[in-house]
Every structure is written in structure tokens, then in C-alpha cells.
Amino acid sequence: MPISPPESAAARGAPPAQPPSGGPLRALSRGLLRLSDLAQQAQPQDMLHQALDVLRALVPFDSAWWGEVSAGDVHVAPRNWLHGSIGLSQSFAQE
């Protein structure tokens, strides 16, 4: 006995599936636009901190650390060139 393909929602009289609400997508879009504005307007020394504040509105977090570190080699220890944080002590990144 042949198997027939499943009946579509429209054929059953059901309304077509709607895309999920735009809430999170709109929030992401607004966040990306805000990051673009920050790139144009923020002082370089404030950019990362302000960008993380934008991210915090989308993905809540209590604390964050960012930085740039060179790996070093057998003659030179790793070096922390740049770092910043939100919600952490000043000594967090000291090695």
C-alpha cells in the first residue's frame, strides 16, 4: 500500500505557520545598530566597555573580562597588553 505525503497545513485549513515574534531579533538588530554608532562616536578607550554594556542588555551577565595577551616564548613571559573588566576587582587580570 503506497504511503501518501503528509497533508499541508493549508490543505487542512490551518493557518500558515508564523515566524517567531520579532522581540529577540529586533533587540539584536538594535544592539548591532548601537555597536555601529559606538564605533563612530565613542572614544577609543571607552569603546570596549560601552560595547559590553550593549551586549549585557542582550545577554545578561554579572561580570566580564577582556584583554589582549601575547603568548611569549622560552625567553619572554606572556604579556598582558590591554585589558578591561566590568564587575571585577582591579587585580583580577594581574599575573
Side-chain angles (χ1 to χ4, degrees):
M1 176 168 173
I3 298 174
S4 58
E7 191 176 351
S8 72
R12 291 190 311 265
Q18 297 296 316
S21 77
L25 184 57
R26 286 182 196 263
L28 175 61
S29 293
R30 283 190 302 270
L32 292 173
L33 289 171
R34 181 70 186 124
L35 289 175
S36 176
D37 289 343
L38 285 174
Q40 302 286 324
Q41 300 166 1
Q43 296 296 316
Q45 65 272 18
D46 298 330
M47 175 64 187
L48 286 173
H49 194 278
Q50 290 179 18
L52 281 175
D53 283 339
V54 172
L55 178 62
R56 181 187 266 175
L58 298 169
V59 182
F61 57 86
D62 295 326
S63 58
W65 181 88
W66 63 91
E68 181 178 343
V69 178
S70 60
D73 60 29
V74 284
H75 303 293
V76 179
R79 180 170 175 190
N80 183 344
W81 295 95
L82 165 77
H83 72 271
S85 66
I86 294 175
L88 297 170
S89 71
Q90 291 289 355
S91 63
F92 177 81
Q94 291 178 350
E95 298 181 64

